[in-house]
Amino acid sequence: MRHLKFAPSWLRFLIIFLLVIGILFRFFNLDSKVYWHDETYTSLRISGYTITEVRQQIFNNRVIAGESFAQFQGANQQKNLNDTIMSLAKEDSHHPPLYYIIARLWMEIFGNSVTAIRSLSVFISLLVFPCVYWLCRELFNVPLSVPGVAIALMAISPIHLVYAQEAQEYILWLVTILLSSASLLRAMRLESQDKDELVKKRQRPDLFAIWSIYAVTLAISLYTFLWSGFVAVAHGIYVMSIAKFQLTATVRTYLLASLVGFLAFMPWITIVIGNFFQFLISADKITTQSSLIPIFPFLLMQLSRIFFDIDLSLDNPLGYLITPLFLTLVGYSIYFICQTTNYKVWLFIIILIIVPALPLILPDLIAGGIQLSSEPYLIPSYLGIQVAVAYLLATQLYNGNVSRRSIWHIIMALVIICGLISYKVSSQAETWWNKGMNYGNPQVAQIINQTTRPLLISDALGDNYGNVFSLSYLLEPKVRFMLVNNQKIPEIPDGFADVFLFNPSDTWRETIEKKYKVKTDIVYSDNYYSVRKLTKFSKPRRRNIPPSNKLSAS
């Protein structure tokens, strides 16, 4: 790979240009897209409140204003950092606490706005670029060409923009995957050099310190996202494969470092296991609404979204024209890297693509579909694919005759154009495919905001809690909320010209219609929730309950 040692000036300029563009787009219109269900749960955990506490305080059949949600959507005076950790341990232990601790400290400094919390992810995403440079240096041992192209591809990758502007831990998880993978490769490389260059005993690296870095980065990754356990399995398979499944010194050292990393994570995994068994024996199971998507079309669409994403749905014919092109590019990239690199290089990439994805894909194959919320679990696969494509493009820019190089220049230009178009479209959009069950919130908010004196009624059944919180970010201050627990019949007060039911069950809706002698018309419906409007409103005579903007005492 001597021809890859140094990149020409035009390629260096292009890499810098795309890096700058990618960084600028990450900071653009941070608050323009829907702050969706899962992000509201992030803010809830940061606040230190539990869902049980929220239901006690605002799901109590009282009329409240949108300002009442703010207390449960960020840092506050009533709860501290310890409450943030405890709320995760009690109700959401499958989300380790590292990101939420960082986010809590961040919001105490910069405030609780959508821009503030999402800007944390943006700044974390900037760490991806030096980390991917390190990983590519360890894989390919070249100063700029492959690492530079990899940085450029990640800078304009639509899938990275999605997580760089998301108030969740996934972009931090990507950083930890890069760090742990690069530190593993470095430890293995230096230990191999240590054995081959015994004459340089005075220059031998401190292997204890090198493997300690891997143990620390593995623990950090585990405390960021539980799926890091499968990334660690991929690392283990790689180390054992390189050692030809023999218990060599490198394997023993790796096992010891991994054990230290997992032992450091033991306090939290104990909580996870305890909550899991408590869930199994509990009679009060949580029911959520989900919609399964055909797995193979979904995976192919996600593969194309690594390079080109204009929010196409799975049933859009344009997607079936675009996806085969990127599938061919990725397939050839994997074939090319297997044919032209040492097995230590291509084996690592193949294992990183396949192993962490298998526990997600195989059960969904049996179920016949996959949930859209499972998509972030494919982040290690995206990383392996992008590194393979970066190697192909960086290599082919120099190989062959002039006409062959020109073809690859065109292919690289098209990949760049696709990324820039995706960024342009995404930066102007109000919602995106990753918003899942709240994709239609802008349309619902527009319907409600057009009315004069609106009241939105909902209960705490299923996903309604997070959906109502998400919708509240888009509703005008004039909108009032009446939230009830256990599907109690709401006592609707006077003074509201337009009353909406948010995702009511059939039984609850029919009971309300019967009590108030009204009909309800569907004003919005999708695969996740519906909104109904009461018509011919004629409630029974009773004492008027004036609207209140304050929370009732719990």
Side-chain angles (χ1 to χ4, degrees):
M1 289 188 281
R2 293 181 179 178
H3 58 284
L4 292 177
K5 288 289 184 183
F6 301 100
S9 58
W10 70 266
L11 181 57
R12 283 178 283 176
F13 174 80
L14 178 63
I15 292 169
I16 295 173
F17 172 76
L18 294 177
L19 179 60
V20 172
I21 292 295
I23 293 174
L24 291 178
F25 268 106
R26 279 163 168 75
F27 284 97
F28 187 71
N29 277 349
L30 280 179
D31 60 345
S32 63
K33 288 188 178 64
V34 170
Y35 197 73
W36 74 292
H37 176 281
D38 286 12
E39 290 179 299
T40 66
Y41 270 88
T42 297
S43 294
L44 172 67
R45 298 309 170 196
I46 292 170
S47 74
Y49 284 94
T50 62
I51 297 177
T52 301
E53 291 174 315
V54 174
R55 287 175 175 171
Q56 290 175 348
Q57 296 194 39
I58 64 175
F59 282 79
N60 52 16
N61 207 18
R62 296 290 301 273
V63 176
I64 61 174
E67 292 85 354
S68 300
F69 297 111
Q71 180 180 352
F72 312 103
Q73 290 290 285
N76 55 77
Q77 298 294 328
Q78 291 74 30
K79 301 285 186 175
N80 55 32
L81 184 61
N82 183 62
D83 294 311
T84 295
I85 299 173
M86 291 305 298
S87 71
L88 286 165
K90 291 177 182 177
E91 295 185 341
D92 215 2
S93 60
H94 64 282
H95 287 285
L98 180 59
Y99 168 79
Y100 298 89
I101 293 172
I102 297 172
R104 171 82 190 204
L105 299 175
W106 180 272
M107 296 183 79
E108 287 179 351
I109 298 173
F110 298 103
N112 296 332
S113 66
V114 173
T115 300
I117 182 60
R118 284 179 172 169
S119 65
L120 172 62
S121 296
V122 173
F123 280 106
I124 292 174
S125 73
L126 303 184
L127 298 176
V128 169
F129 304 124
C131 291
V132 76
Y133 178 86
W134 183 23
L135 177 64
C136 290
R137 281 296 305 270
E138 295 297 334
L139 276 173
F140 305 107
N141 194 27
V142 289
L144 182 60
S145 294
V146 179
V149 173
I151 289 173
L153 290 181
M154 288 195 166
I156 60 169
S157 172
I159 206 75
H160 288 292
L161 180 65
V162 165
Y163 298 118
Q165 294 185 329
E166 186 95 342
Q168 295 191 82
E169 66 267 35
Y170 302 124
I171 197 68
L172 178 61
W173 184 41
L174 173 60
V175 172
T176 65
I177 294 171
L178 288 164
L179 286 174
S180 60
S181 299
S183 61
L184 173 67
L185 292 174
R186 176 175 173 80
M188 295 178 66
R189 175 175 61 83
L190 292 180
E191 183 160 312
S192 176
Q193 288 181 355
D194 182 47
K195 293 177 180 179
D196 295 339
E197 302 175 9
L198 296 177
V199 294
K200 299 180 180 180
K201 291 184 179 180
R202 295 182 180 180
Q203 300 179 7
R204 290 173 63 180
D206 187 349
L207 294 179
F208 176 80
I210 294 169
W211 282 105
S212 296
I213 294 174
Y214 174 71
V216 171
T217 55
L218 176 61
I220 291 174
S221 187
L222 290 168
Y223 271 105
T224 301
F225 198 54
L226 285 182
W227 210 256
S228 300
F230 293 107
V231 178
V233 171
H235 289 169
I237 294 174
Y238 175 72
V239 174
M240 294 296 295
S241 299
I242 296 300
K244 299 180 180 179
F245 297 94
Q246 298 178 359
L247 195 61
T248 63
T250 299
V251 173
R252 290 195 297 268
T253 310
Y254 161 77
L255 292 175
L256 179 60
S258 298
L259 178 62
V260 172
F262 276 99
L263 286 176
F265 187 59
M266 188 59 65
W268 194 261
I269 199 63
T270 303
I271 296 173
V272 174
I273 295 172
N275 287 348
F276 176 72
F277 282 109
Q278 184 178 1
F279 171 78
L280 290 179
I281 65 177
S282 173
D284 183 21
K285 299 294 188 296
I286 298 174
T287 58
T288 58
Q289 294 168 301
S290 62
S291 179
L292 293 180
I293 302 171
I295 186 167
F296 287 114
F298 172 79
L299 292 176
L300 292 175
M301 179 64 76
Q302 291 307 119
L303 185 145
S304 66
R305 283 171 174 165
I306 299 175
F307 308 99
F308 182 66
D309 181 13
I310 55 174
D311 196 26
L312 297 177
S313 61
L314 289 178
D315 55 357
N316 192 310
L318 183 58
Y320 292 99
L321 298 177
I322 296 173
T323 300
L325 300 178
F326 291 107
L327 180 61
T328 302
L329 175 64
V330 171
Y332 184 69
S333 299
I334 295 173
Y335 168 79
F336 183 80
I337 203 169
C338 291
Q339 292 295 316
T340 59
T341 62
N342 186 282
Y343 76 99
K344 293 182 180 181
V345 175
W346 63 259
L347 184 62
F348 180 85
I349 294 175
I350 296 299
I351 290 175
L352 186 63
I353 293 173
I354 295 176
V355 173
L358 282 180
L360 174 68
I361 295 174
L362 292 180
D364 289 321
L365 280 174
I366 299 173
I370 190 171
Q371 294 186 24
L372 183 59
S373 59
S374 302
E375 187 273 334
Y377 295 75
L378 297 172
I379 284 178
S381 302
Y382 301 150
L383 173 60
I385 289 171
Q386 287 178 303
V387 171
V389 173
Y391 176 80
L392 172 67
L393 295 178
T395 305
Q396 295 305 302
L397 292 176
Y398 303 95
N399 280 350
N401 53 35
V402 176
S403 60
R404 179 182 175 86
R405 293 198 300 269
S406 299
I407 292 174
W408 284 104
H409 279 81
I410 294 173
I411 293 174
M412 184 172 181
L414 291 176
V415 171
I416 293 172
I417 291 172
C418 286
L420 295 178
I421 292 175
S422 302
Y423 273 36
K424 174 64 176 177
V425 175
S426 177
S427 65
Q428 304 297 326
E430 290 185 312
T431 188
W432 211 245
W433 57 265
N434 66 304
K435 302 304 178 183
M437 63 186 69
N438 300 124
Y439 187 91
N441 276 15
Q443 184 178 344
V444 175
Q446 183 180 13
I447 293 171
I448 297 176
N449 288 335
Q450 286 176 346
T451 59
T452 54
R453 297 187 303 277
L455 175 66
L456 183 67
I457 302 175
S458 182
D459 60 7
L461 185 67
D463 293 319
N464 287 356
Y465 163 83
N467 290 337
V468 170
F469 268 66
S470 174
L471 186 60
S472 69
Y473 281 87
L474 299 178
L475 295 178
E476 296 177 358
K478 66 182 179 181
V479 180
R480 295 294 183 265
F481 302 82
M482 176 178 281
L483 307 177
V484 301
N485 203 3
N486 298 324
Q487 292 194 320
K488 293 181 179 179
I489 305 304
E491 297 293 333
I492 304 175
D494 293 325
F496 295 104
D498 302 279
V499 180
F500 298 89
L501 298 180
F502 186 90
N503 200 34
S505 66
D506 291 337
T507 302
W508 191 48
R509 172 183 56 82
E510 291 170 358
T511 305
I512 294 174
E513 290 176 342
K514 183 177 180 180
K515 176 177 180 178
Y516 291 99
K517 299 179 181 179
V518 297
K519 296 180 179 179
T520 57
D521 295 332
I522 295 179
V523 295
Y524 177 83
S525 179
D526 60 21
N527 293 331
Y528 298 99
Y529 69 81
S530 63
V531 178
R532 290 175 173 267
K533 183 178 180 181
L534 273 64
T535 58
K536 298 181 181 180
F537 186 63
S538 177
K539 59 181 178 49
R541 294 186 62 184
R542 55 180 177 76
R543 181 175 61 87
N544 178 45
I545 303 176
S548 171
N549 294 344
K550 298 181 179 180
L551 294 174
S552 62
S554 58

